[in-house]
Amino acid sequence: MAMPCMVKPISYNRRKTHPVWVGGIAVGGSFPIRVQSMCTSDTKNTEAVIREMEGLVQAGCEIIRVTVPTQADCDNLPNIRAAMKARGIKVPLVADIHFTPSIAMQVVEYVDKVRINPGNFVDKKLFKSKEYTDDEYAAELTRIREKFVPLVLKCQEHNVAMRIGTNHGSLSDRIMNRYGDTPLGMVESALEFLRIAEELNYRQIILSMKASNVQVMTEAYRLLASRLDQLGWHYPLHLGVTEAGEGEDGRIKSAIGIGSLLEDGLGDTIRVSLTEDSIYEVPVAYGLVQKYNNLFHDKNDGVFKGDDFHYARRSSSESVVGALGLGSHHPIRVAIAFDASNKEKFEKEYQDYLYDRSGLEMPLEIIEWQADDKTNPQDLVSLINRFHTTGGFRTKPELALVTSCVELIKQAKGFSKIVWLGLDHLTEVKELCKKQNLFLEVRLQESQISNAASLGVSSISLDTKNSVYAYRKLASLLGQTLINITLSSSSLLSLSISGGCLLNDGIGDSICLSGFGDISSTVRLSYNILQGARLRITKTEYISCPSCGRTLFDLQTTTDKIRQVTNHLKGVKIAVMGCIVNGPGEMADADFGYVGTGPKKVSLYVGKDCVERNIPEEEAVGSLVNLIKKHGRWVEEAQL
């Protein structure tokens, strides 16, 4: 089995890039990772755009993008520029272009950067299957050159930067037929355009590989970075998850996708794409990049070795903790850590958890009870038994005793697992666990990782602040020993980055969080991280795009309406798209799609197939429910 964790860096080194100037802001090189956002206002409405820009600037946004889908939008750019100057707005302005090379040629005169999508800059999406001969494929590339070269030359003339932004949701038919709907296809789509720019010595280009699926996204970026290094090209990268969604889910998904790549040293500018007002994206983005900007001290070392960037779960032995299967083919288990010195706090929080509806689908599977030599381990056993004999709401969790006291292990009746802290007395501890039929995990300090392979225990976890790199190093040393990812932080973004990155690498047979909040919120966050990484689906998945000037209905209100009637459909993936740009492609990753196709008009999709067109907006949510029922995916909400 492939082990992608073996080719990831085990210390922070930012990838070497050359700087690209976007107006007065440098992206890449030794400059900080830049934060940007996109206006949701109609580009034809100058005052609305300027008001939104002022809020973004106040929040710290360094680069602002507007969508330019029509000639009327393009014609208003001089007015926006004049208003920016009059109001003292000095951030670089970026024009987002799809489908219209002629408009791209015009906007160069008014903006600091042009974003084009190689999937639709020249090609029209027809969803046709065709086997291209080499000559036919070369003819297609000639057609691209004819449209793209004039834009490159004009950008050179006006000293304007460019982003070649590949989206998983809008690959061309040509790419789809040769490479499929794959990360490789995404990379090749960008390289077709990049080779033309290289021939013209135009290198003021930033690249992106965005997708709503974090596994696809991270694989595409890692593959792109490897290909660029092989070619000796050092273009900066723009990171983003296209349709991250809203609220906690949107933040977790963004942290997993963007954070995984930042941990790898990839990324020179980011946008967090939330289905919320644009101003709320900026603080989340700063929360993601702050750690890496602080770490970066001009350490421009290449980070990738090897060619395997596919997701594959690390192979581990099958084990049992009490009645709970662990490792091998079993799902990644959810645990929490709790301090035994505060039994009253635990009792209240656990009782609240038992009555928390989310616990029905998000069961707490292991409780780690952190004890010292003054602790009575039977307190926890009695507490758990009392609740479950009177309630019986869900499967009773397995209990783990976390200790460095040998005497406590002798009292561990009712426990299924021992977490032994350190290496002292390990031989004696192993004998005790074998005698008492207790699953044994050893928790190491980072300085002890080199001993991991020789310990002969079932599972290993770490007590370390440098979690991602330390766990990667641990995984590289172990055979099939299980790994329990243990993380402690009060920050949702920090836990999502570290936990999501490791899970995305295929590392981890269980995840144990602490320090975040009460039991209910910690368990919910654990499952949300697993769902964001596409490893354990426990609720409805929404692929919801951020609003922009192309959006054809009120995206936030519509998403909320859809969520209210569908959020009980466990495992169903629903895409909510404001327009057709990314719709069909991203819907390939969803079960059902709701896409704006005209003012107040919506089309419905099953997968990437449009099945109902131009439904009036006021009827569309009901039609979506009927479509889900028609395909046998509807269940009535449980009455609690």
Side-chain angles (χ1 to χ4, degrees):
M1 178 178 286
M3 293 183 62
C5 57
M6 303 293 283
V7 298
K8 307 298 189 305
I10 57 173
S11 63
Y12 182 75
N13 287 293
R14 186 167 161 189
R15 173 178 167 266
K16 180 180 179 180
T17 61
H18 65 251
V20 170
W21 286 89
V22 182
I25 295 286
V27 176
S30 59
F31 293 93
I33 300 166
R34 303 298 190 181
V35 167
Q36 57 182 279
S37 186
M38 185 174 186
C39 285
T40 63
S41 302
D42 186 340
T43 308
K44 297 184 288 295
N45 188 335
T46 304
E47 183 58 30
V49 170
I50 294 301
R51 282 199 306 270
E52 189 174 358
M53 283 184 174
E54 287 176 328
L56 288 170
V57 171
Q58 188 173 5
C61 188
E62 297 174 287
I63 300 171
I64 297 176
R65 181 161 42 118
V66 295
T67 184
V68 189
T70 69
Q71 186 63 51
D73 295 288
C74 179
D75 292 342
N76 198 47
L77 287 177
N79 297 326
I80 291 174
R81 267 301 194 190
M84 289 175 67
K85 183 176 181 180
R87 304 274 268 271
I89 300 174
K90 298 180 180 179
V91 295
L93 181 64
V94 181
D96 194 68
I97 305 295
H98 293 272
F99 303 111
T100 47
S102 61
I103 291 179
M105 289 290 291
Q106 297 173 61
V107 302
V108 170
E109 299 178 24
Y110 308 113
V111 299
D112 302 294
K113 184 172 75 172
V114 179
R115 182 272 172 118
I116 65 162
N117 182 342
N120 59 32
F121 183 72
V122 175
D123 300 278
K124 304 299 181 185
K125 194 77 172 176
L126 301 175
F127 299 101
K128 288 185 177 180
S129 296
K130 176 181 177 179
E131 290 294 329
Y132 287 85
T133 66
D134 289 344
D135 288 343
E136 288 173 331
Y137 204 91
E140 290 291 298
L141 296 181
T142 298
R143 190 166 60 88
I144 291 173
R145 180 181 294 273
E146 291 171 354
K147 294 287 188 180
F148 187 53
V149 166
L151 178 61
V152 170
L153 295 176
K154 192 164 186 181
C155 286
Q156 284 179 312
E157 178 187 352
H158 290 269
N159 196 28
V160 168
M162 182 187 297
R163 172 156 69 97
I164 298 177
T166 303
N167 276 15
H168 182 228
S170 52
L171 295 176
S172 68
D173 288 347
R174 179 186 66 262
I175 288 290
M176 290 282 286
N177 279 286
R178 176 155 288 197
Y179 298 101
D181 189 12
T182 64
L184 176 60
M186 295 171 68
V187 171
E188 288 300 324
S189 181
L191 291 180
E192 287 179 350
F193 283 71
L194 197 58
R195 293 184 186 102
I196 296 170
E198 273 282 329
E199 291 173 10
L200 298 170
N201 295 313
Y202 174 67
R203 297 185 177 88
Q204 292 303 297
I205 292 175
I206 299 168
L207 300 167
S208 65
M209 298 275 124
K210 299 173 77 172
S212 63
N213 183 321
V214 295
Q215 290 182 3
V216 171
M217 170 204 170
T218 52
E219 183 180 333
Y221 274 106
R222 288 166 173 167
L223 179 59
L224 174 65
S226 178
R227 292 292 301 276
L228 292 175
D229 287 349
Q230 290 169 5
L231 293 165
W233 296 346
H234 305 295
Y235 290 93
L237 301 180
H238 168 110
L239 304 184
V241 181
T242 43
E243 286 84 24
E246 61 183 345
E248 185 177 279
D249 289 344
R251 285 156 177 79
I252 291 171
K253 196 170 184 180
S254 296
I256 294 172
I258 296 171
S260 294
L261 296 165
L262 292 173
E263 287 285 333
D264 292 338
L266 304 182
D268 303 281
T269 178
I270 75 166
R271 182 209 171 182
V272 175
S273 300
L274 299 176
T275 312
E276 301 175 18
D277 292 341
S278 59
I279 195 171
Y280 297 116
E281 297 179 348
V282 178
V284 181
Y286 274 109
L288 295 179
V289 302
Q290 181 179 12
K291 168 186 172 182
Y292 307 96
N293 281 340
N294 291 339
L295 283 171
F296 181 51
H297 299 291
D298 201 26
K299 290 166 62 176
N300 275 332
D301 299 324
V303 296
F304 277 107
K305 309 294 180 187
D307 297 313
D308 186 359
F309 304 104
H310 296 281
Y311 170 79
R313 183 172 168 183
R314 174 182 168 270
S315 178
S316 59
S317 300
E318 183 175 13
S319 298
V320 176
V321 178
L324 191 70
L326 196 65
S328 183
H329 63 282
H330 295 287
I332 294 161
R333 299 301 186 180
V334 169
I336 63 162
F338 213 93
D339 186 351
S341 65
N342 200 337
K343 187 178 71 170
E344 292 76 15
K345 182 173 184 287
F346 176 85
E347 182 170 359
K348 179 184 181 306
E349 291 186 9
Y350 190 63
Q351 187 173 32
D352 290 343
Y353 162 75
L354 288 177
Y355 287 93
D356 184 345
R357 181 179 170 188
S358 65
L360 292 169
E361 297 296 344
M362 301 181 181
L364 173 55
E365 295 171 308
I366 300 173
I367 298 175
E368 293 191 357
W369 194 245
Q370 299 173 346
D372 57 29
D373 56 3
K374 298 178 183 179
T375 302
N376 180 358
Q378 300 313 309
D379 285 349
L380 176 61
V381 179
S382 300
L383 194 61
I384 296 296
N385 286 339
R386 183 170 85 248
F387 281 129
H388 284 276
T389 53
T390 57
F393 294 97
R394 52 180 65 74
T395 303
K396 186 165 70 170
E398 301 296 336
L399 305 183
L401 182 64
V402 184
T403 185
S404 59
C405 176
V406 174
E407 289 303 312
L408 281 181
I409 299 177
K410 296 176 183 178
Q411 304 173 43
K413 299 191 186 330
F415 288 82
S416 305
K417 175 181 175 181
I418 298 296
V419 179
W420 182 250
L421 303 176
L423 299 174
D424 293 343
H425 309 291
L426 183 56
T427 301
E428 182 181 0
V429 168
K430 288 166 68 174
E431 287 298 321
L432 278 171
C433 289
K434 183 178 180 181
K435 182 178 179 181
Q436 297 176 218
N437 195 29
L438 294 169
F439 181 89
L440 176 60
E441 175 177 305
V442 173
R443 185 156 299 164
L444 301 175
Q445 299 292 324
E446 188 171 353
S447 60
Q448 299 171 321
I449 290 177
S450 59
N451 298 306
S454 62
L455 298 182
V457 295
S458 301
S459 177
I460 294 179
S461 58
L462 297 178
D463 181 6
T464 173
K465 293 181 180 179
N466 189 13
S467 55
V468 169
Y469 304 127
Y471 273 103
R472 282 177 172 175
K473 182 177 179 181
L474 175 68
S476 72
L477 296 174
L478 295 178
Q480 293 194 319
T481 304
L482 278 68
I483 293 178
N484 176 19
I485 300 172
T486 55
L487 304 170
S488 180
S489 175
S490 60
S491 166
L492 178 143
L493 293 181
S494 176
L495 291 170
S496 299
I497 291 171
S498 298
C501 179
L502 291 168
L503 293 168
N504 215 20
D505 285 349
I507 298 172
D509 300 285
S510 58
I511 181 168
C512 181
L513 304 184
S514 62
F516 176 67
D518 62 17
I519 292 174
S520 293
S521 58
T522 301
V523 172
R524 185 170 59 250
L525 175 59
S526 301
Y527 277 100
N528 285 343
I529 291 172
L530 286 167
Q531 175 137 343
R534 297 296 180 95
L535 297 178
R536 205 166 167 183
I537 305 301
T538 51
K539 60 183 184 180
T540 316
E541 174 85 1
Y542 296 96
I543 302 170
S544 177
C545 69
S547 184
C548 71
R550 296 189 300 267
T551 303
L552 296 166
F553 50 78
D554 187 324
L555 193 62
Q556 293 184 51
T557 301
T558 301
T559 301
D560 186 56
K561 288 179 181 177
I562 293 172
R563 188 185 297 274
Q564 287 181 28
V565 297
T566 62
N567 64 2
H568 63 289
L569 300 176
K570 177 182 176 181
V572 175
K573 291 183 285 187
I574 300 174
V576 186
M577 302 290 174
C579 71
I580 202 64
V581 168
N582 292 325
E586 296 298 352
M587 241 105 51
D589 196 44
D591 300 305
F592 302 96
Y594 182 109
V595 182
T597 48
K600 304 292 184 180
K601 297 291 185 181
V602 172
S603 292
L604 300 180
Y605 286 72
V606 176
K608 59 184 178 182
D609 298 324
C610 185
V611 295
E612 296 185 40
R613 299 181 185 275
N614 298 320
I615 303 167
E617 184 183 351
E618 60 271 17
E619 301 174 11
V621 174
S623 297
L624 174 64
V625 170
N626 290 333
L627 184 64
I628 296 171
K629 290 179 177 179
K630 179 181 176 181
H631 283 80
R633 301 296 300 276
W634 185 266
V635 294
E636 295 300 328
E637 190 167 5
Q639 300 297 314
L640 300 180

